[in-house]
Amino acid sequence: MAPSPAQSSVTIVLPIFNEEEVLPELLARLTAVFDAHPAVAWDALLVDDGSRDRSAELVRAQAARDPRFALLELSRNFGFQAALAAGLAHAGGAAVVTMDADLQDPPECIPELVAQWRGGAEVVRAVRRSRQETGSRRLGMDVFHRLFNRISDFPIEANTGTFGLLDRQAVDAMNRLPERHRFFPGMRSWVGFATAEIHYDRQERAAGQPQQTLRRLARYAFDGVFGFSYLPLRLLTYTGLVVGTAGFALGLYYVVKRLINIETAPTGFTTLAALVLFLGGVQLIGIGVLGEYLARVYDEVKERPLYLIKRGPSR
Ligand code: UDP
Ligand code: MG
């Protein structure tokens, strides 16, 4: 069933952080897409995630020229996931497109997303046919996706990121997920709904440097794992069982040996040292894993807002 004209308003949500170099091209290309498809009531909500450059100013100027653009300003840099959540919470469209602002996700693919939505899909994921990242970033992403799908209860398609479309129902569902440590692809998989895909070539960043540091990406990966899997905890239990059983068997072996032949040579210091260090290591890893979950529980219990709004959404 095709949505009626009144329903076919689409909001594009774009978190931006220090993107003054990309913004002119982004705004131009978005405008071109909007103009080429006048049947859809478009609007773009740019969420300024505490940029320290002229990003907010550029968007504000654009909003003054073209009422289809709006700016939502956060009080400081809260990070990509929080900015995205702010955008989703303030997006008014019957469908919402989520994408990076650095033009790695090409705006020209948006009509395809919308076509899938009009064809009945409630969630549309954009799947990367190819990727431009190289080196450690790329390796990290590949390893993470493989690992995540092995262990998560809610697998995410390899090669999907934030780029995609959510219809109103799915947006409302996402907005109801209160978690502080947000992992967008996992959450999108969690909410369900009729899902479709489009394929696209991920582009090179149009200008400037990646704003997500490697450290942030690693933290994001941790949020994915700890937010969607209990496997680390379960692994600990299994490790404990195996090591405990082995220890007990070894103890038994020494006792029996002692009872059978009276002369027992003093056992090696090396064995002892290795055992102590090994067990100490396993225990520390265990505490670390517990800590990861505990810290997340603590963050949830504090119930701090995910982000604070300084201004907007202004038109
Ligand atoms: N971004 C943000 N807040 C941040 C870091 C990044 O809103 O603290 C935005 C950034 O402007 C871009 C998107 O998130 O639109 C993706 O960031 P980036 O391209 O730096 O990361 P990557 O491509 O490595 O995922
Ligand atoms: Mg990027």
Side-chain angles (χ1 to χ4, degrees):
M1 185 192 74
S4 75
Q7 283 176 302
S8 60
S9 60
V10 177
T11 303
I12 323 289
V13 166
L14 304 126
I16 46 169
F17 178 57
N18 296 344
E19 298 286 10
E20 65 178 2
E21 286 178 64
V22 211
L23 269 170
E25 189 185 338
L26 171 75
L27 297 173
R29 279 169 66 179
L30 276 175
T31 310
V33 170
F34 292 176
D35 291 345
H37 299 83
V40 180
W42 300 102
D43 72 290
L45 178 59
L46 290 99
V47 183
D48 178 42
D49 188 17
S51 295
R52 288 180 279 271
D53 62 1
R54 292 174 52 244
S55 297
E57 212 177 298
L58 291 177
V59 178
R60 213 174 293 125
Q62 176 76 10
R65 275 193 302 270
D66 185 339
R68 291 174 296 188
F69 289 83
L71 172 68
L72 175 67
E73 285 177 85
L74 305 187
S75 68
R76 64 168 169 86
N77 179 239
F78 283 91
F80 174 70
Q81 293 292 315
L84 192 61
L88 280 184
H90 289 81
V96 176
V97 171
T98 49
M99 64 193 288
D100 285 3
D102 59 0
L103 295 170
Q104 286 196 281
D105 306 330
E108 290 72 27
C109 293
I110 295 174
E112 259 184 89
L113 294 169
V114 173
Q116 291 283 342
W117 170 55
R118 291 192 146 167
E122 289 153 327
V123 172
V124 189
R125 290 183 305 218
V127 182
R128 291 179 285 259
R129 262 191 300 251
S130 60
R131 207 195 234 297
Q132 299 295 337
E133 278 88 1
T134 48
S136 58
R137 256 177 132 76
R138 171 66 183 269
L139 183 73
M141 288 170 178
D142 283 350
V143 169
F144 170 72
H145 273 110
R146 214 150 287 161
L147 180 80
F148 186 85
N149 278 326
R150 246 326 129 72
I151 65 174
S152 167
D153 302 331
F154 302 95
I156 49 170
E157 168 94 14
N159 294 319
T160 56
T162 354
F163 194 21
L165 177 144
L166 303 166
D167 87 338
R168 182 40 53 194
Q169 250 185 310
V171 171
D172 291 343
M174 293 288 270
N175 287 340
R176 281 180 56 203
L177 302 187
E179 58 233 60
R180 266 81 199 147
H181 294 266
R182 297 174 91 77
F183 179 64
F184 187 85
M187 290 163 62
R188 185 172 54 194
S189 162
W190 187 90
V191 298
F193 296 108
T195 305
E197 281 173 3
I198 68 155
H199 294 264
Y200 77 109
D201 295 303
R202 187 134 163 109
Q203 307 297 308
E204 205 95 59
R205 179 175 247 287
Q209 290 298 312
Q211 299 299 333
Q212 303 246 65
T213 56
L214 213 52
R215 219 177 102 221
R216 275 230 172 138
L217 285 180
R219 216 190 294 160
Y220 183 51
F222 267 52
D223 282 342
V225 171
F226 292 112
F228 285 90
S229 170
Y230 294 123
L231 190 74
L233 285 177
R234 229 167 278 142
L235 276 182
L236 272 185
T237 315
Y238 297 151
T239 313
L241 276 176
V242 170
V243 174
T245 313
F248 184 75
L250 197 65
L252 214 61
Y253 165 75
Y254 282 129
V255 169
V256 171
K257 197 175 162 190
R258 170 131 208 183
L259 289 179
I260 292 172
N261 47 2
I262 302 96
E263 44 124 9
T264 42
T267 37
F269 165 78
T270 325
T271 317
L272 261 182
L275 278 176
V276 168
L277 287 179
F278 172 70
L279 283 181
V282 169
Q283 282 166 359
L284 284 179
I285 294 173
I287 294 174
V289 170
L290 285 181
E292 290 291 339
Y293 285 98
L294 183 66
R296 283 170 173 74
V297 172
Y298 184 45
D299 279 340
E300 300 301 337
V301 169
K302 279 193 282 194
E303 286 197 50
R304 284 193 188 150
L306 262 167
Y307 52 82
L308 291 176
I309 289 166
K310 180 162 80 179
R311 216 171 300 134
S314 65
R315 274 167 208 277

